[in-house]
Amino acid sequence: MDKTLHIIGGGMAGSEAAWQAANAGVKVVLHEMRPKVETFAHRTGNLGEMVCSNSFRSDDHEQNAVGLLHWEMRAANGLIMAMAQKHRLPAGGALAVDRDPFAESVTAALNAHDNIEIVYDEITALPEDGHWIIATGPLTSGALAEAIQAETGAESLAFFDAIAPIVYAESVDMSVAWMQSRYDKGETEEERTAYLNCPMTKEDYEGFIDALMAADKTEFKEGETAGYFDGCLPIEVMAERGRETLRFGPMKPVGLTNPHDPENKPYAVVQLRRDNALGTLYNIVGFQTKMKYGAQTDVFKRIPGLNDASFARLGGIHRNTFINSPTLLDAQMRLKSRPNIRFAGQITGVEGYVESAAMGLLAARLAVAELNGETLPDVPNTTAMGALVSHITGGAAAKTFQPMNVNFGLFPPVEGLKKGRKGRKDRYKAYTDRAKIDWQGWLDQQG
């Protein structure tokens, strides 16, 4: 019996899956179509390339579900989390990384592993035999997407992802902007001053909203419908929901004091997060956009402090494809019609770098057990990993299935705890305490 595991896709999920399987002694062939076949969003042929934000979000493993997922992946010797920690940037309580060195380190680690062979080719059809994990992410090639659709007999589900622009730090006017993390969060001075902040008066904000609403936007092709994931909405879509939406979202002024004018509270604040270790690049937080390039520069330069900004990258929008996992996958993440194929990552309908890598980790461990003639028990749904995979493989309603970030709403309640906002801190701590015990127990069963 051939005990080779083939993985299609070298993003977060595919890279993590390859690492986990190879460390378990399995021979892995990792198939990546880049750089031979390019995508709209990628810039390099590196594995684990970050194409949107450079943040893995909160690293708080006691009060935040994604922080708990960080903890679980670290406990499982996760490659993605190890490289993220190695290339961590100051970002208050968030785990942000220097994206290029991060991807280079992921690539180097996988290339150096004796059990991993990396093949740069495009897989255009579903494999008939062997053990496979499809982890092609939101930008699955057209040919493979058509093959998946032909096999499942279902319409491909899709939504649109938007990318935020990146600004050269030297072009920000620091006589207007200032450095501060919201609520001064962070253990070091560097972390407490991790964000660039640009203040807006009410007049600034109203003018910005008017310009944003009037700007030229990317039009969808005939037959495409604009479904968006709520966690990555273009700013103009948020603005269309109400003029104050942005001011209570990515532009909220709370937890910040402008040292240039400490007596007056800004009406709104635009935050920029460091995008590289040198501190020469900053991305505009929450400013994913579908505006055309020319319109972006005009609109964004209305932001105080960015009037003379230079952009290393403008925002953009791309199609993001995922399958109806509750219908198509079993509890072991296998395609029901072809159980030799597992799916992992964003194509399964999880959203976010961490969630994608987590599903790669899990799919690999399930595949390794199967290659060894074993079946792992289901991951407890009391863990972040288990809550997420339970949701996509049956917990979610198939008819209304949409991409989902990990969150405590996916966890079974802890009995006897106070409900409502007042009891939330104790409740979340109880969730994470229980999850850590159950996750470690599940890992221990694998020797």
Side-chain angles (χ1 to χ4, degrees):
M1 176 183 176
D2 182 9
K3 288 194 174 184
T4 301
L5 177 62
H6 293 264
I7 299 170
I8 309 175
M12 298 293 173
S15 295
E16 186 64 59
W19 181 256
Q20 293 287 325
N23 282 345
V26 168
K27 293 293 183 182
V28 174
V29 179
L30 179 58
H31 303 264
E32 170 54 52
M33 68 180 186
R34 293 177 298 113
K36 289 183 178 178
V37 180
E38 297 181 346
T39 74
F40 162 81
H42 292 89
R43 297 181 297 107
T44 75
N46 287 329
L47 305 173
E49 181 181 338
M50 305 178 84
V51 299
C52 188
S53 167
N54 72 320
S55 175
F56 285 88
R57 312 197 314 281
S58 174
D59 203 31
D60 183 349
H61 56 84
E62 294 189 344
Q63 290 291 312
N64 191 284
V66 75
L68 173 61
L69 196 54
H70 292 181
W71 185 94
E72 292 180 6
M73 294 176 68
R74 288 175 175 132
N77 188 31
L79 173 67
I80 295 301
M81 294 312 302
M83 294 301 102
Q85 188 65 36
K86 181 178 179 181
H87 298 288
R88 186 170 191 158
L89 297 175
L95 175 57
V97 306
D98 194 349
R99 67 177 76 214
D100 287 340
F102 165 81
E104 290 162 4
S105 292
V106 170
T107 305
L110 295 176
N111 269 310
H113 204 297
D114 290 340
N115 286 339
I116 298 174
E117 177 188 0
I118 302 174
V119 178
Y120 292 95
D121 61 359
E122 180 184 7
I123 303 296
T124 59
L126 293 183
E128 296 289 340
D129 50 28
H131 294 266
W132 293 75
I133 295 175
I134 296 178
T136 46
L139 299 178
T140 299
S141 72
L144 184 57
E146 289 177 7
I148 294 169
Q149 182 175 341
E151 171 65 26
T152 60
E155 288 290 327
S156 291
L157 298 178
F159 65 104
F160 290 89
D161 254 354
I163 295 172
I166 293 176
V167 173
Y168 288 106
E170 64 183 12
S171 69
V172 178
D173 184 353
M174 294 306 295
S175 69
V176 175
W178 78 96
M179 304 293 297
Q180 183 188 7
S181 295
R182 203 179 299 279
Y183 300 110
D184 298 310
K185 195 167 184 179
E187 297 181 359
T188 67
E189 180 65 17
E190 190 176 35
E191 289 175 338
R192 290 189 289 272
T193 57
Y195 291 79
L196 270 169
N197 299 281
C198 298
M200 280 188 171
T201 63
K202 188 175 190 298
E203 183 180 6
D204 292 331
Y205 180 79
E206 294 293 346
F208 176 81
I209 295 297
D210 288 339
L212 180 65
M213 299 292 282
D216 287 337
K217 317 292 195 306
T218 299
E219 299 295 332
F220 297 107
K221 297 177 182 177
E222 186 175 351
E224 290 183 338
T225 56
Y228 295 102
F229 171 61
D230 276 349
C232 201
L233 287 175
I235 53 169
E236 52 273 7
V237 173
M238 284 190 275
E240 288 169 359
R241 296 181 174 183
R243 293 185 67 87
E244 293 288 285
T245 302
L246 287 171
R247 205 169 71 83
F248 286 90
M251 297 173 69
K252 58 182 178 286
V254 299
L256 299 164
T257 301
N258 182 359
H260 304 303
D261 189 10
E263 299 302 317
N264 292 311
K265 185 178 179 64
Y267 189 75
V269 173
V270 175
Q271 284 200 307
L272 293 85
R273 181 178 54 238
R274 189 189 295 189
D275 206 72
N276 65 347
L278 293 174
T280 57
L281 300 175
Y282 278 75
N283 67 71
I284 311 181
V285 178
F287 268 49
Q288 299 82 217
T289 181
K290 61 174 183 173
M291 283 187 287
K292 292 182 178 179
Y293 284 169
Q296 287 185 48
T297 56
D298 291 341
V299 172
F300 294 146
K301 285 188 175 185
R302 297 180 66 96
I303 299 169
L306 301 186
N307 306 109
D308 295 315
S310 297
F311 295 87
R313 183 191 73 189
L314 290 168
I317 190 165
H318 60 271
R319 191 175 181 85
N320 186 340
T321 303
F322 62 99
I323 63 173
N324 194 318
S325 292
T327 300
L328 301 175
L329 302 184
D330 66 15
Q332 291 275 315
M333 303 176 72
R334 295 174 298 204
L335 187 61
K336 292 176 183 177
S337 62
R338 292 204 192 188
N340 68 309
I341 299 173
R342 282 179 166 83
F343 281 79
Q346 275 189 262
I347 196 170
T348 66
V350 299
E351 178 61 23
Y353 294 135
V354 181
E355 290 88 340
S356 297
M359 293 301 94
L361 185 155
L362 183 56
R365 286 177 172 254
L366 296 172
V368 166
E370 188 172 277
L371 281 162
N372 291 328
E374 303 168 358
T375 300
L376 289 181
D378 291 347
V379 185
N381 66 351
T382 51
T383 67
M385 193 83 65
L388 198 56
V389 74
S390 295
H391 177 77
I392 66 171
T393 59
K399 287 185 178 180
T400 57
F401 184 60
Q402 286 291 314
M404 177 69 74
N405 287 125
V406 67
N407 63 84
F408 285 128
L410 303 179
F411 289 55
V414 176
E415 296 300 324
L417 292 178
K418 186 186 297 183
K419 297 180 179 179
R421 293 183 63 85
K422 289 185 178 180
R424 185 168 58 185
K425 186 173 182 180
D426 290 340
R427 190 166 64 251
Y428 288 176
K429 182 64 164 58
Y431 283 151
T432 58
D433 287 348
R434 178 183 64 179
K436 290 173 184 178
I437 293 170
D438 291 351
W439 176 247
Q440 192 60 59
W442 187 80
L443 290 177
D444 290 344
Q445 295 178 64
Q446 297 163 56

